[in-house]
Amino acid sequence: MSHAMRRAGEPALDETTATALRAALKTTADEVVQAIIDEVPPYAGALSGHMGATIRRAVRTALGHYLDLASGNATGGDAGDAAYELGRGEVRDGRSMDALLSAYRVGARVAWRCLAAGAVPAGLPAAQVAKFAELTFAYIDELSAASAAGHADELAARGRAHERHLEHLARDLLAGASPDVLLASAQQAGWQPPASLTAVLLPAAQTRPAYRTLDPNTLVLDDLPDATGVLLVPDADRTHLLRQLTDRTAVVGPPRPWTRASASYARAVRARSLSTDIRDVENHLPELVLSADMDAFTDLRARALAPLRALPAATARKLEETLRAWLLHQGRRDEVAASLFVHPQTVRYRMQQLRELFPDLTSPHRVLELTMAVGFRTS
């Protein structure tokens, strides 16, 4: 602080003038504070009572420090530290830097008017008055710069803390933490819980760009294993969300109550493990159901399709495709033939083979097992 003072060489004030100005410090400080209250709306109710008294003392201290510097009698201390803390405090009180800079401008004008009114009658030469004016405004500029730095640092620190809290909340959600833990994390993050959350899996590099197009209340993590990121989108309009992600390599899970976001995430992860072509898990529910327990599904296929194992692989494959189409089209031969791109007589022949292999082909239990067995193509 006081770089301008150090550059000035000779003091701007003689001791007689400095003494006269110090005597008027209280009055000057009061006028500065009153002008700020009158002219800067965000401070209209902020500088009264105990707070007003504290600010008046701070203004008096800053002006006193300035007079010490201007008269060459500074003994240490730096008003810049207080100005820096003032900038940080303005963030805590919810005021912008614009408000504080306005206060500095008003304060500088009133302080100079009061100081000049005392310096001129005290006999300060005209040349020194000009120098005094220059140093006064340089000092105010330095104070305002220190406050701006404090304000910016506090905003940055709060932003980083807020991001950490949001990240912690997102991890708790994906881990399936208890509702009590999730509520505490949400409160700490200052995050308003929605009715539902929809998990979206993306490559890590696409996560932040996609996030910028979504609801600002969306939670984001971009450092999951396998270079994967996840977005937890609140109360999503699914059609609109899918349209927003058209150009992204995304897997969109189902909407779930926000405390059960882990279920949406788990389904999206499982869908991605089945195929890289899946975007909307809601369009692949049969595959997801059939793959829920792959060991059980493998055992079911082995038992249900055992009669095909004795056949040549190519024949078994054709008969399985025909069986799948027959079950899907409920035995309507022409529709089965059209789906397989074969003649209806070919379907008739293959179905004769299948009825020989599966004598109970029309029993409800056998139909259920076979439908499940052939309903999901495994690689």
Side-chain angles (χ1 to χ4, degrees):
M1 180 53 64
S2 70
H3 300 298
M5 303 300 177
R6 288 196 290 270
R7 290 195 302 267
E10 292 298 320
L13 299 178
D14 57 52
E15 189 56 40
T16 300
T17 303
T19 300
L21 294 179
R22 284 192 190 94
L25 274 182
K26 182 179 182 307
T27 300
T28 300
D30 288 346
E31 289 194 27
V32 167
V33 172
Q34 189 58 51
I36 292 171
I37 292 173
D38 293 342
E39 298 182 36
V40 187
Y43 291 95
L47 301 183
S48 59
H50 175 72
M51 178 61 71
T54 300
I55 295 297
R56 283 177 175 81
R57 283 195 299 273
V59 172
R60 246 187 349 259
T61 300
L63 290 173
H65 181 257
Y66 167 65
L67 292 177
D68 288 341
L69 290 169
S71 61
N73 293 323
T75 58
D78 196 334
D81 293 342
Y84 179 88
E85 291 302 321
L86 175 61
R88 294 183 63 201
E90 291 299 276
V91 175
R92 301 186 194 107
D93 291 338
R95 284 186 289 273
S96 69
M97 193 58 213
D98 287 343
L100 185 55
L101 290 176
S102 294
Y104 270 119
R105 285 193 293 270
V106 170
R109 188 189 72 237
V110 174
W112 168 245
R113 187 186 67 221
C114 293
L115 291 173
V120 173
L124 191 67
Q128 290 298 97
V129 170
K131 183 179 180 182
F132 184 37
E134 178 187 352
L135 295 183
T136 299
F137 288 100
Y139 181 71
I140 297 297
D141 284 347
E142 290 185 6
L143 290 182
S144 62
S147 287
H151 196 277
D153 287 352
E154 182 67 16
L155 280 177
R158 286 182 171 232
R160 288 192 297 271
H162 185 57
E163 285 294 320
R164 286 196 300 271
H165 291 321
L166 289 174
E167 180 181 318
H168 182 73
L169 170 61
R171 293 188 190 283
D172 282 347
L173 284 163
L174 296 189
S178 70
D180 288 344
V181 169
L182 293 176
L183 281 171
S185 290
Q187 289 172 356
Q188 187 175 41
W191 184 79
Q192 182 61 44
S196 69
L197 285 172
T198 297
V200 178
L201 293 186
L202 290 158
Q206 295 184 25
T207 306
R208 293 284 171 177
Y211 163 72
R212 287 193 288 271
T213 69
L214 302 176
D215 186 317
N217 213 28
T218 297
L219 298 173
V220 55
L221 288 173
D222 57 3
D223 60 351
L224 298 179
D226 301 324
T228 299
V230 64
L231 301 170
L232 296 175
V233 186
D235 297 331
D237 178 325
R238 193 170 191 82
T239 301
H240 181 60
L241 176 61
L242 287 164
R243 190 161 52 245
Q244 287 178 296
L245 297 170
T246 297
D247 297 328
R248 308 286 182 189
T249 310
V251 180
V252 181
R256 287 293 179 265
W258 79 275
T259 56
R260 295 188 56 241
S262 59
S264 180
Y265 171 65
R267 184 171 294 178
V269 168
R270 196 151 60 80
R272 188 184 58 176
S273 73
L274 294 179
S275 170
T276 57
D277 295 328
I278 293 179
R279 285 179 51 78
D280 183 356
V281 300
E282 301 290 74
N283 293 335
H284 299 270
L285 293 179
E287 296 96 321
L288 288 164
V289 170
L290 291 173
S291 64
D293 183 340
M294 285 304 298
D295 283 344
F297 180 62
T298 300
D299 291 344
L300 172 66
R301 276 183 58 84
R303 184 178 72 186
L305 301 179
L308 299 178
R309 286 205 299 267
L311 303 176
T315 302
R317 185 167 56 253
K318 289 178 181 178
L319 288 179
E320 182 178 340
E321 289 174 351
T322 302
L323 178 59
R324 180 183 296 109
W326 182 79
L327 290 166
L328 178 64
H329 294 285
Q330 299 180 344
R332 293 186 289 270
R333 187 188 305 171
D334 289 345
E335 293 180 21
V336 173
S339 69
L340 295 174
F341 302 101
V342 298
H343 194 276
Q345 280 298 105
T346 302
V347 174
R348 184 173 178 274
Y349 171 71
R350 291 181 186 176
M351 288 307 303
Q352 286 177 341
Q353 290 180 285
L354 287 166
R355 288 189 177 95
E356 291 174 3
L357 292 166
F358 301 95
D360 57 347
L361 184 58
T362 58
S363 75
H365 181 73
R366 174 61 75 180
V367 168
L368 173 63
E369 276 204 347
L370 288 172
T371 299
M372 295 178 68
V374 301
F376 175 52
R377 292 180 174 84
T378 56
S379 57

